[in-house]
Amino acid sequence: ETDDAWLPDAHHRNMSKPYETQHRRIAGLMLLVAVSLAVESALHLSDAIHPKGSNELQAGTAEAVICVALLWGASSLARRGAARYQVALGTTMFAIAGFILGLSITIPSGYIPDIAYHATVLPILIITFALIVGYGRATAGARQAPRQGDQAL
């Protein structure tokens, strides 16, 4: 049995290898960001990176929540069914919104390491979102077998 046996029929098995590689890359990007968020969250919650009086608890908690959401999205890509794309898209959109909010808070604070972190990771999240959209569309097209009588344009 091949590792693409989860696909419903032979047509899908033949189409799965490129999509499976893309799936792993997308999940890898999501995991990379999730790990960075776990580190950032730990640093914030331990008061290790900010001057006193900043919003460490709020920042650390927000980063932990976004981390868990991205882990959920990355793990959803390993499951069967179309819902995996919606979960991955939803969790990535949530992370993007969180990073935009984070930037809106860190820019006025002037704390360069936080600004740099948010400004670096936000484009990675946007690229991840675009890859998920493309991956979902490509695999949806591969799942739709041509019907009898359909002609190529």
Side-chain angles (χ1 to χ4, degrees):
E1 192 82 24
T2 64
D3 62 277
D4 57 358
W6 58 271
L7 291 167
D9 61 30
H11 170 74
H12 295 129
R13 275 190 221 94
N14 292 337
M15 302 282 297
S16 72
K17 287 297 181 189
Y19 299 121
E20 211 45 43
T21 299
Q22 184 73 356
H23 146 263
R24 288 185 182 118
R25 288 180 182 149
I26 295 168
L29 281 173
M30 295 175 82
L31 289 171
L32 176 71
V33 173
V35 167
S36 75
L37 281 162
V39 170
E40 280 289 304
S41 177
L43 290 171
H44 276 118
L45 293 172
S46 68
D47 289 330
I49 60 173
H50 280 282
K52 295 294 180 204
S54 60
N55 296 321
E56 296 299 313
L57 180 61
Q58 292 89 342
T61 302
E63 288 160 347
V65 169
I66 296 169
C67 172
V68 170
L70 285 175
L71 290 172
W72 178 31
S75 69
S76 74
L77 289 176
R79 290 187 231 128
R80 279 174 47 161
R84 65 181 167 172
Y85 306 114
Q86 286 84 8
V87 172
L89 280 173
T91 58
T92 304
M93 286 186 340
F94 176 74
I96 290 169
F99 270 78
I100 291 170
L101 176 62
L103 265 175
S104 74
I105 294 168
T106 58
I107 288 173
S109 78
Y111 191 67
I112 300 300
D114 271 354
I115 295 168
Y117 174 72
H118 285 86
T120 301
V121 176
L122 183 58
I124 295 170
L125 288 169
I126 292 168
I127 290 167
T128 302
F129 181 82
L131 290 171
I132 295 167
V133 168
Y135 175 59
R137 285 184 182 161
T139 57
R143 285 192 304 267
Q144 295 175 356
R147 293 174 290 179
Q148 293 243 339
D150 282 354
Q151 295 179 3
L153 298 176

